[in-house]
Amino acid sequence: MKDVGEELAERLRKLNWNKDYRQLIRDAFNDEEVREFIRKNKAELSQEDIAKSASKVYEFVSIKNKIKRGEETLAPGYDPQLIINNHLIDVTYVPSETLLLHKKQQAIYNRVRSINMPKDIRDAELADYELEGRELAAQAAGSFIDEYTSAPKKFHRALYLQGSFGVGKTYLLGAIANGLAEEGFTSTLLHFPSFAVEMKNSIGSNGTMKMVDEVKRTPVLMLDDIGADQLSSWLRDDILGVILQYRMQEELPTFFSSNLDMVKLEKQYLTTNNRGEAEPLKAKRIMERIRFLAEEYTIVGRNRRQFKK
Ligand code: ADP
Ligand code: MG
């Protein structure tokens, strides 16, 4: 069989096409992928059809080479592909693997809603979690993901991560949220002290209750750094209490992280309000809900923050 490029060049010569253009077309027809495509589809393509498809073949090869050289194309993220369309060769554009991966990753990120959380938890992964001093917590985190994934409608007790500043509590919450997101589940991570300030600042507005409503209904909720601020009775009973009551009733997974263990959380944080009044019974009620929702794990280790800027 005569070389396709040669034959085409001959036809174009007859048509008196510009010499440079003829060379470009000939190069395009010499592209390995193009030759393979023509070989595969030769039953459907006459020489005439092939000649008529020259500009499409040229488009295919020039875009492909542009992508190879890392240059920007008109449709970034899409790769050209040869197809047969109405007996002619045509080019279609399909999402590249990089684009598909990027979209998948974006979908995972979008399943984790972070409110006032540090940015570095975005890429936290259980697989990267250094185990020393947190074997039990890491193991419980892994089991939670497995069990929740296999039966998301059932109640699963979540984790209450307790430990001193910088040991990796927040990071572990982020890793759990990301692990769940990979399985298709949505969580909300909330820095509780900042949330409390926002609530106080918006007392009485429609936004407050809407926000509380959204938070309490999220499939998986993580309250980060609970116990780090001072609570008013209103925040304890009408915000935190309402959220936890709903989650307990609906059996929705709820995680906590705190510098305080459960006993201290009850005695120091929940019992005495910001005016110094002791309300032990109210504290007990909140604590019962927390204990129902989560099991306590102590994380020990060095403060990882001091090694960063
Ligand atoms: P905590 O919430 O207990 O105060 P963080 O989770 O914020 O601590 O962790 C402190 C710092 O150490 C953060 O910058 C975090 O990204 C990092 N970090 C924590 N645990 C790990 C880990 N297992 N592997 C890598 N980095 C970690
Ligand atoms: Mg933290």
Side-chain angles (χ1 to χ4, degrees), residues 256-274:
F256 303 84
S257 91
S258 181
N259 284 10
L260 306 173
D261 61 29
M262 282 190 172
V263 172
K264 281 193 179 138
L265 190 84
E266 180 176 344
K267 298 277 174 270
Q268 295 177 11
Y269 181 66
L270 296 171
T271 300
T272 315
N273 71 12
N274 58 349

Side-chain angles (χ1 to χ4, degrees), residues 49 115 151:
D49 295 335
I115 306 176

Side-chain angles (χ1 to χ4, degrees), residues 170 224-225 305:
T170 299
D224 189 37
D225 242 347
R305 284 188 207 178

Side-chain angles (χ1 to χ4, degrees), residues 8-275:
L8 185 79
E10 211 169 286
R11 278 170 186 270
L12 294 174
R13 209 162 21 247
K14 279 183 200 144
L15 287 169
N16 222 357
W17 281 36
N18 164 303
K19 189 162 155 268
D20 291 343
Y21 189 65
R22 280 207 306 267
Q23 185 59 45
L24 287 174
I25 296 287
R26 193 184 341 225
D27 289 347
F29 274 98
N30 269 328
D31 177 90
E32 205 36 61
E33 224 178 310
V34 171
R35 291 165 71 116
E36 176 63 27
F37 182 82
I38 292 174
R39 250 198 307 278
K40 263 201 204 143
N41 295 286
K42 63 174 184 249
E44 277 196 66
L45 292 167
S46 67
Q47 288 301 331
E48 180 80 35
D49 295 335
I50 294 173
K52 276 193 199 152
S53 308
S55 67
K56 287 296 176 181
V57 169
Y58 175 69
E59 172 185 333
F60 170 76
V61 174
S62 63
I63 299 289
K64 190 176 81 159
N65 289 337
K66 253 191 176 177
I67 292 171
K68 235 187 240 164
R69 291 193 300 265
E71 291 170 21
E72 188 155 343
T73 62
L74 282 174
Y78 288 81
D79 289 341
Q81 204 174 60
L82 292 173
I83 52 163
I84 303 278
N85 182 12
N86 212 2
H87 290 288
L88 295 174
I89 301 174
D90 203 349
V91 187
T92 181
Y93 289 87
V94 293
S96 67
E97 260 169 51
T98 330
L99 183 72
L100 291 176
L101 262 174
H102 180 78
K103 281 195 170 163
K104 197 172 154 218
Q105 189 56 52
Q106 204 53 48
I108 292 175
Y109 284 146
N110 290 344
R111 285 188 205 110
V112 180
R113 211 171 137 223
S114 302
I115 306 176
N116 297 316
M117 295 293 291
K119 281 205 179 58
D120 65 353
I121 57 151
R122 197 173 134 114
D123 294 309
E125 267 192 61
L126 213 46
D128 292 343
Y129 200 64
E130 282 167 32
L131 286 178
E132 203 192 356
R134 352 119 181 252
E135 291 85 352
L136 286 178
Q139 204 175 40
S143 309
F144 180 89
I145 295 173
D146 290 347
E147 283 160 22
Y148 185 77
T149 303
S150 57
K153 296 253 185 292
K154 266 175 76 181
F155 176 62
H156 302 280
R157 226 161 147 222
L159 284 67
Y160 178 106
L161 302 175
Q162 181 267 318
S164 50
F165 184 76
V167 292
K169 303 181 295 294
T170 299
Y171 185 94
L172 186 54
L173 289 183
I176 298 170
N178 292 338
L180 290 170
E182 274 173 40
E183 302 294 340
F185 301 106
T186 304
S187 356
T188 301
L189 276 96
L190 192 84
H191 184 245
F192 191 73
S194 317
F195 176 72
V197 170
E198 278 179 29
M199 289 293 108
K200 257 185 279 181
N201 291 342
S202 67
I203 289 183
S205 74
N206 285 341
T208 330
M209 283 310 137
K210 197 167 160 263
M211 184 79 168
V212 170
D213 220 51
E214 263 180 54
V215 166
K216 76 179 190 192
R217 287 172 204 278
T218 186
V220 177
L221 178 64
M222 302 183 173
L223 299 180
D224 189 37
D225 242 347
I226 190 165
D229 53 354
Q230 279 217 319
L231 217 49
S232 65
S233 302
W234 175 72
L235 273 166
R236 182 193 56 209
D237 303 327
D238 296 341
I239 304 295
L240 183 61
V242 165
I243 293 172
L244 298 183
Q245 174 65 26
Y246 183 85
R247 304 209 51 95
M248 194 171 104
Q249 257 167 22
E250 301 297 318
E251 304 197 326
L252 296 170
T254 311
F255 291 76
F256 303 84
S257 91
S258 181
N259 284 10
L260 306 173
D261 61 29
M262 282 190 172
V263 172
K264 281 193 179 138
L265 190 84
E266 180 176 344
K267 298 277 174 270
Q268 295 177 11
Y269 181 66
L270 296 171
T271 300
T272 315
N273 71 12
N274 58 349
R275 288 201 298 263

